[in-house]
Amino acid sequence: MKLSKKTLDQRSEHLYDVIIVGGGMGGLSAAIYLQRYRLSCLVIEKGRGRSFWMQDTRNYLGLPPTTPGRTILQQGQDYLQDLQGDYLPGFVEDVRDEGETFAVKVKVGKKDSTYPVLRSKYLIAASGIIDKLPQLPDMQNVYDYAGHNLHVCLICDGYEIADKQCGLFPSSEAAINTAFVLNWFTPYITVFTMGLFEVGDEMRQKLKDHGYPLIEAPIKRFMGHHHEMTGVELEDSSTISLDVGLIAMGSHYHSEYLRGLDLEWKGNNLITDSATCRTSHPRLFAVGDLKDGINQVSIAVADGTLAATAIWREIRRQSPPRRWQENLSG
Amino acid sequence: MKLSKKTLDQRSEHLYDVIIVGGGMGGLSAAIYLQRYRLSCLVIEKGRGRSFWMQDTRNYLGLPPTTPGRTILQQGQDYLQDLQGDYLPGFVEDVRDEGETFAVKVKVGKKDSTYPVLRSKYLIAASGIIDKLPQLPDMQNVYDYAGHNLHVCLICDGYEIADKQCGLFPSSEAAINTAFVLNWFTPYITVFTMGLFEVGDEMRQKLKDHGYPLIEAPIKRFMGHHHEMTGVELEDSSTISLDVGLIAMGSHYHSEYLRGLDLEWKGNNLITDSATCRTSHPRLFAVGDLKDGINQVSIAVADGTLAATAIWREIRRQSPPRRWQENLSG
């Protein structure tokens, strides 16, 4: 059921088999599998994650490429409810390992918040990442285009960028190298640093050799209408026309709640076993963008399959077998 | 485009980036990614693979659980066509490694067949498996129920079996052990050997200890109507009522065309690198049920993502960079 402040009391003594932190693609996939394995699970979702902002899901087999991420999320939430899984809108503040169980502290409600602690045998970290965006005085101007034709993922949307005039918005000199992957799709690349960082001579020369203009002035605003970005206006009011944009500013990783646990990381990504999505902690699994690997819907959904199946196998093997009593004599 | 005997000539000199053997979930996912990476690919599909027979896709996030496999396959084929990918109904008879290319010999057409040879730089083996079914005098009687409530996959359909009277149809004594996983979902298990193999004393005792009847007589037919199996009639005309069934007779692996290549196998499954789905052959990838791992739609779809992305990265890195000519001086 969908839990809230009012109904949460019903679960205060319940020990879930699995609590899943994050109700994106990986978390919902895991939850559906777990409920279908007849285990009890709870998904805790803070809302407005990366897939919520996806306007089109173009690479996921079975759905029209115009399907927004939120449509998939809603289908998953509804199905989870049909399968009697629990879903709680809330923000996981902390996870404590109690030996046999995890204690998960959740902030529920933005006003008059409560801080229930819920417990499970296993934990799946499915809280993902969120892309960093250019910081302009009017952020609404950025939100108007981000996820539409101001893209954040080259694998997802390179096809839509093909042979178009593309603005690249990196957050560091290293991120400018995205241009030399982006140019598989289009050579018409203009790099905007917004004055955020210095560009060394070597990179300047490399861009020049490729014919990619480098614009270092701060940006006043994105131009366009109806979520279709058409260019950039700089602070001096000069403008540059663009067909599309690609933001390469890195990501924020939603993993603060894991800081008290001893886990193996590769940078900001959790290292997991490829066959099970198990982290270095035997009862903690990670799926989707938070784990090391390609950030794609299909991968997160498969991760959910792997983690749920591994947990089911472990619980099943530790459980007594069910016998058909009426056939037993003596 | 959808190729046929008539239009195949147009491709006789074409070197594809990738030929994909099998247009199931993994093959179509790979093809969609490859076309969106602006590579050229051809899917060769013999028809009526495992996912074609799936009546409900209950564990795949984003689609109603009542979605038949063939609906997903059709969506994938249509989308591939929109993306200008090639699709050829045909049966791959042989693959020869020519060093830089693969030569793929296809049988096209069941009558007056032609045997074109098509070429690619990379190959993706996505030809999967098909479940072996009980062999009854009237196979239509089996087809009427298989994939409906006569299941073949415990992960997919265990939930639907829960607490029901279930017939288990194994093809060997070892396969009887499926009962001791199936009993996670239901303890009301009757094992039918159909007289196909001997059952040793130890297994007999184990079944007895669990209270699971063992029926060794040949089966005359499945009873039921409208694709709903309701029990089994034995050769002596006695009947046993059942709510559902689970077939555990193993699978046929569609991999004959690979026999001329030096590849690493784990039994009938191809061994692949978990991050890329690459086999022991550097230009040959395997996705879905043919590779080692869990046989699930979500996994096959993610495999397609991994293989396509690995191939794209390799081709991209070997290609000259695209420069923006008009910005280049001197």
Side-chain angles (χ1 to χ4, degrees), chain A residues 33 36 212 296 298 305 322, chain B residues 33 156 212 296 298 305 322:
Chain A
Y33 269 90
R36 289 183 54 82
Y212 306 157
Q296 288 284 287
S298 59
T305 302
R322 292 175 77 195
Chain B
Y33 268 91
C156 307
Y212 306 158
Q296 287 286 285
S298 60
T305 302
R322 293 176 75 196

Side-chain angles (χ1 to χ4, degrees), chain A residues 85-329:
Chain A
D86 279 352
Y87 186 93
L88 172 65
F91 180 80
V92 172
E93 295 214 325
D94 191 51
V95 170
R96 203 154 35 84
D97 183 2
E98 302 178 315
E100 300 281 304
T101 55
F102 287 109
V104 179
K105 184 183 166 194
V106 191
K107 177 182 177 178
V108 180
K110 290 198 174 163
K111 285 183 184 174
D112 306 320
S113 308
T114 55
Y115 295 85
V117 174
L118 296 147
R119 283 185 168 77
S120 63
K121 298 176 194 165
Y122 291 84
L123 193 86
I124 297 180
S127 41
I129 64 174
I130 193 81
D131 305 280
K132 293 180 183 170
L133 298 177
Q135 297 296 303
L136 300 189
D138 174 15
M139 282 307 292
Q140 189 53 50
N141 175 251
V142 180
Y143 301 142
D144 279 348
Y145 305 112
H148 294 270
N149 71 331
L150 185 53
H151 300 291
V152 294
C153 171
L154 198 51
I155 291 181
C156 307
D157 299 309
Y159 187 81
E160 277 65 39
I161 295 175
D163 297 325
K164 291 189 177 160
Q165 295 248 13
C166 184
L168 176 66
F169 304 91
S171 58
S172 67
E173 184 176 312
I176 293 179
N177 284 307
T178 305
F180 310 110
V181 180
L182 174 59
N183 67 359
W184 172 263
F185 295 103
T186 184
Y188 313 120
I189 300 168
T190 303
V191 177
F192 295 85
T193 70
M194 302 172 62
L196 294 175
F197 53 89
E198 294 293 310
V199 182
D201 290 342
E202 199 176 330
M203 182 59 83
R204 283 178 192 279
Q205 189 59 47
K206 193 171 176 188
L207 289 171
K208 205 174 168 189
D209 290 345
H210 284 76
Y212 306 157
L214 176 67
I215 312 282
E216 299 183 81
I219 291 174
K220 191 190 285 177
R221 67 180 185 97
F222 290 104
M223 303 181 298
H225 49 270
H226 293 108
H227 302 300
E228 188 82 9
M229 190 267 297
T230 57
V232 158
E233 183 182 343
L234 302 177
E235 284 221 332
D236 65 4
S237 295
S238 63
T239 62
I240 293 134
S241 290
L242 298 169
D243 300 319
V244 289
L246 178 68
I247 297 168
M249 301 195 137
S251 310
H252 174 74
Y253 290 74
H254 296 302
S255 57
E256 295 83 354
Y257 62 97
L258 297 171
R259 74 199 137 202
L261 302 170
D262 182 27
L263 299 167
E264 275 181 40
W265 300 83
K266 180 178 172 182
N268 288 311
N269 292 112
L270 278 162
I271 294 174
T272 57
D273 168 62
S274 61
T276 60
C277 290
R278 196 190 302 258
T279 68
S280 56
H281 187 301
R283 290 182 294 111
L284 202 154
F285 293 70
V287 302
D289 295 355
L290 201 56
K291 71 166 233 306
D292 189 32
I294 303 177
N295 296 346
Q296 288 284 287
V297 171
S298 59
I299 303 292
V301 170
D303 287 347
T305 302
L306 295 174
T309 303
I311 291 170
W312 169 56
R313 285 180 172 162
E314 202 159 277
I315 291 178
R316 194 187 78 220
R317 284 165 187 166
Q318 292 165 0
S319 305
R322 292 175 77 195
R323 296 181 162 83
W324 190 348
Q325 298 304 334
E326 70 181 69
N327 286 337
L328 296 171
S329 57

Side-chain angles (χ1 to χ4, degrees), chain B residues 194-235:
Chain B
M194 302 171 62
L196 293 175
F197 54 90
E198 293 293 310
V199 181
D201 290 342
E202 200 176 331
M203 182 61 83
R204 283 179 194 278
Q205 188 60 47
K206 193 172 176 188
L207 288 171
K208 205 174 169 191
D209 290 346
H210 284 76
Y212 306 158
L214 175 67
I215 312 281
E216 300 185 81
I219 291 175
K220 190 189 286 176
R221 65 177 187 99
F222 290 104
M223 304 181 297
H225 48 271
H226 293 108
H227 302 302
E228 188 83 8
M229 189 267 297
T230 57
V232 158
E233 182 181 344
L234 302 177
E235 285 219 334

